[in-house]
Amino acid sequence: MPGRPSLAGRSLLVSRPAGRMGGGGSALRVCADHRGGINWLSLSPDGQRLLTGSEDGTARLWSTADGQCCALLQGHESYVTFCQLEDEAAFTCSADHTIRKWDVRTGQCLQVFRGHTSIVNRILVANNQLFSSSYDRTARAWSVDGGQVSQEFRGHRNCVLTLAYSAPWDLPGAPCAEEVGGLLVTGSTDGTAKVWQVASGCCHQTLRGHTGAVLCLVLDTPSHTAFTGSTDTTIRAWDILSGEQLRVFREHQGSVICLELVNRHVYSGSADRTVKCWLADTGERVRTFAAHRHSVSALKYHAGTLFTGSGDARARAFDAQSGALQRVFRGHAFVINCIQVHEQVLYTASHDGALRLWDVRGLPCAPPPRPTAPARSRSRLFSNKVGCAAAPLQPA
């Protein structure tokens, strides 16, 4: 199979229950059917299935009830970069320049989306549309059912790495929101993020300020705010309607690799081996989570616990409010690329080719942190950005 070197030469484990039930961070099950590193892990909306995409060019569907592989999705001609699982269909994208749609019950390929001319890096299914970003410097919108390209977004000068979507009904303050078909936000190695009108394909805003590649982004749709993380070590907040840079989060000493937004708190994982928690409305850093021995590659907040995956091959659980390290999950051999949590089970996917299931019972359960009201002077400084939304949406 063309693509990056796989780990096919290693001794493969079989899916098996571990010997101890996870109280100290032991695995409930190790699923090592893939013959290459796992690049992404997606949980279905109903929580019944998991989807993994691998360096071996395949994707696999797993049951969350027993951790067993229930379908092997074969057809890509190079490694799978990313995947998204819906209740009725699975979607995968690959270095073979294509995207595929699969039946989750039969494992049959239902549709191949062709058009990109280089590696497809990310996909996003939303509002009955499929969005994709590629190393060919474009993003695209596709009909989920027909497989045709409905819109092409051109303007980035380098690879498009990450993307997020805001539906028309998430833009109540924006004139003509229905007509523009929602907004797509893309981040690129050219150091910019762009906001696109989905219906027309026009660039609505270009978000300039980073001095390095934009590696990750999250949207806060109620406030029309995008948060972007970059190799320049900063996180930046932007009004996606006006294009205005609202604030800069500075304290990391390495690239910002991943972001999680939870109830007005931004969590950022970095190559500096830390996670930081910030107040989204002010940019104030309120907590630092240390203890990692390598870059933080994955984040997931769940019920008062912050789970992290790292290049040191370990997952960790922290108390989100105090920052205290609660548990370390050891067993992987290489970097953990993605994590999910469902019903007291932590799922970790690694470049060692294994999907591991961990018992997280016994960790304190708490509601998400309440937003901390900013000081009045800061509130005046950063508030009323919605006033910018009164301007009509015009191509940039």
Side-chain angles (χ1 to χ4, degrees), residues 80-275:
V80 177
T81 55
F82 193 82
C83 56
Q84 182 172 335
L85 183 55
E86 298 296 307
D87 288 336
E88 302 297 325
F91 297 84
T92 58
C93 60
S94 169
D96 68 8
H97 309 176
T98 72
I99 304 157
R100 288 176 179 256
K101 177 183 177 181
W102 312 82
D103 187 304
V104 296
R105 286 177 291 273
T106 66
Q108 177 185 1
C109 182
L110 302 175
Q111 187 75 51
V112 181
F113 302 77
R114 304 182 190 275
H116 280 297
T117 58
S118 189
I119 297 169
V120 184
N121 192 60
R122 287 289 185 270
I123 51 176
L124 171 64
V125 180
N127 194 22
N128 203 34
Q129 297 179 92
L130 170 65
F131 299 97
S132 59
S133 63
S134 171
Y135 280 50
D136 66 10
R137 306 184 182 186
T138 74
R140 299 180 188 226
W142 313 74
S143 165
V144 168
D145 297 322
Q148 297 87 11
V149 175
S150 57
Q151 200 55 259
E152 209 169 306
F153 308 95
R154 292 185 175 271
H156 280 297
R157 297 182 178 181
N158 215 324
C159 309
V160 185
L161 297 181
T162 185
L163 72 173
Y165 173 74
S166 183
W169 50 85
D170 291 327
L171 302 166
C176 307
E178 287 291 338
E179 286 81 350
V180 303
L183 296 175
L184 180 70
V185 185
T186 56
S188 168
T189 56
D190 66 11
T192 71
K194 286 181 178 287
V195 184
W196 310 85
Q197 298 177 12
V198 170
S200 67
C202 293
C203 181
H204 170 62
Q205 298 290 349
T206 297
L207 312 180
R208 294 185 175 91
H210 283 297
T211 58
V214 177
L215 300 182
C216 51
L217 69 87
V218 291
L219 281 185
D220 179 45
T221 51
S223 67
H224 312 144
T225 304
F227 299 88
T228 54
S230 170
T231 58
D232 68 7
T233 76
T234 71
I235 303 149
R236 293 169 192 257
W238 314 82
D239 185 311
I240 62 173
L241 300 182
S242 70
E244 180 182 0
Q245 180 177 286
L246 304 177
R247 61 199 70 93
V248 182
F249 304 67
R250 306 179 191 271
E251 278 197 34
H252 277 302
Q253 302 299 310
S255 298
V256 179
I257 297 170
C258 47
L259 292 171
E260 178 100 330
L261 177 64
V262 181
N263 198 30
R264 312 309 307 152
H265 288 70
V266 176
Y267 295 89
S268 56
S270 171
D272 68 8
R273 307 182 181 187
T274 71
V275 175

